[in-house]
Amino acid sequence: MSLTAEAIATLSHVSTATITTVLLKKGLRNVWMRGTKPLKPGQKRLVGSAFTLRFVPAREDLATPESWSSPISTRTAIEAMPEGCIAVVDSMGVSDAGIFGDILCARMVKRGVTALITDGVVRDLEGVLGTGLPVWCNGFAAPPSVAGLTFVGWGEPIGCGGVAVFPNDVVVADQDGAVLIPQAFIDQVLAEGPEQERMEAWIVNEVNNGVPLPGLYPMNAETKARYYAASKK
């Protein structure tokens, strides 16, 4: 299923917190990618289909500067990224080797990539920020990727922040981090997410008006009746 412009517009108004709640009700608990924090405060909520990349532990005969020219390299993978995708990278949580720096991020911007998400770190922080590419990661470090990781491929299932990510799954990222929506659940999130946002906004308003929480959150039958009556006005 391709991610339509309408779906992107809808999900851009649904928080990752709300998405986790909707998916929890469907039995999915493990959808928030640990260690995916916005690199720059204030990054807006972004939505895209996952383009997956995978690293494994460094092996001295493979993780070398010469490997950057290999057909199986992050450079080649970037050239395969479709416009509008979100690059999701399995960095195994390694925090002392930056997977991408300013040059690679600049190329991703030129290719129209929406964002970079990883459970690892980036390098060349000032330069990466200067590219304008929105990044969610677990920090930054000076050493290059080959100091701690070996790049092995793209376009396959990965684990990022403890979450299974398949190519073309939908990713939403905001100030709370990055959340995965499995393809099979997109329609349900699109249908229920906006209503959950409206409901919670009404609840917040009730709290601000002094209404106590018992019976309000979660709603009892009386509160639901008041909510639905207010929604029709």
Side-chain angles (χ1 to χ4, degrees):
M1 174 182 173
S2 60
L3 191 59
T4 65
E6 182 180 4
I8 292 173
T10 298
L11 291 173
S12 67
H13 292 92
V14 180
S15 72
T16 56
T18 291
I19 292 169
T20 60
T21 299
V22 171
L23 291 175
L24 178 64
K25 293 176 180 178
K26 310 300 178 188
L28 296 179
R29 299 176 180 273
N30 190 35
V31 294
W32 179 71
M33 299 178 219
R34 300 155 188 83
T36 57
K37 298 172 287 189
L39 185 61
K40 181 180 180 181
Q43 290 180 169
K44 70 175 184 178
R45 184 175 299 123
L46 293 174
V47 182
S49 296
F51 182 95
T52 59
L53 302 93
R54 185 165 68 94
F55 286 87
V56 297
R59 206 177 81 181
E60 286 75 8
D61 61 324
L62 299 175
T64 65
E66 291 74 22
S67 69
W68 294 332
S69 299
S70 166
I72 306 299
S73 69
T74 52
R75 281 73 171 158
T76 307
I78 288 172
E79 298 307 316
M81 293 179 181
E83 183 176 357
C85 77
I86 290 182
V88 184
V89 187
D90 176 3
S91 305
M92 303 176 56
V94 170
S95 60
D96 57 358
I99 60 162
F100 286 174
D102 54 353
I103 295 175
L104 273 63
C105 288
R107 180 57 181 161
M108 292 169 69
V109 171
K110 287 296 184 180
R111 290 197 56 78
V113 173
T114 295
L116 166 65
I117 292 173
T118 181
D119 53 2
V121 300
V122 295
R123 64 192 302 244
D124 302 315
L125 175 61
E126 185 176 351
V128 169
L129 291 172
T131 69
L133 178 71
V135 176
W136 278 259
C137 64
N138 203 23
F140 38 87
S145 61
V146 293
L149 293 162
T150 302
F151 182 70
V152 293
W154 63 91
E156 59 184 330
I158 62 168
C160 183
V163 175
V165 183
F166 285 72
N168 296 318
D169 280 339
V170 174
V171 177
V172 181
D174 61 17
Q175 293 301 297
D176 283 351
V179 168
L180 175 90
I181 306 175
Q183 292 186 56
F185 291 82
I186 293 172
D187 288 343
Q188 296 174 67
V189 174
L190 288 171
E192 299 179 27
E195 172 60 18
Q196 183 76 25
E197 291 280 0
R198 286 189 291 268
M199 182 180 295
E200 293 194 3
W202 182 84
I203 290 172
V204 168
N205 186 64
E206 291 292 284
V207 170
N208 290 337
N209 288 333
V211 178
L213 290 177
L216 175 65
Y217 185 65
M219 292 182 179
N220 59 20
E222 179 183 351
T223 301
K224 286 181 180 179
R226 288 199 300 111
Y227 168 70
Y228 291 125
S231 299
K232 294 178 182 179
K233 293 182 180 178

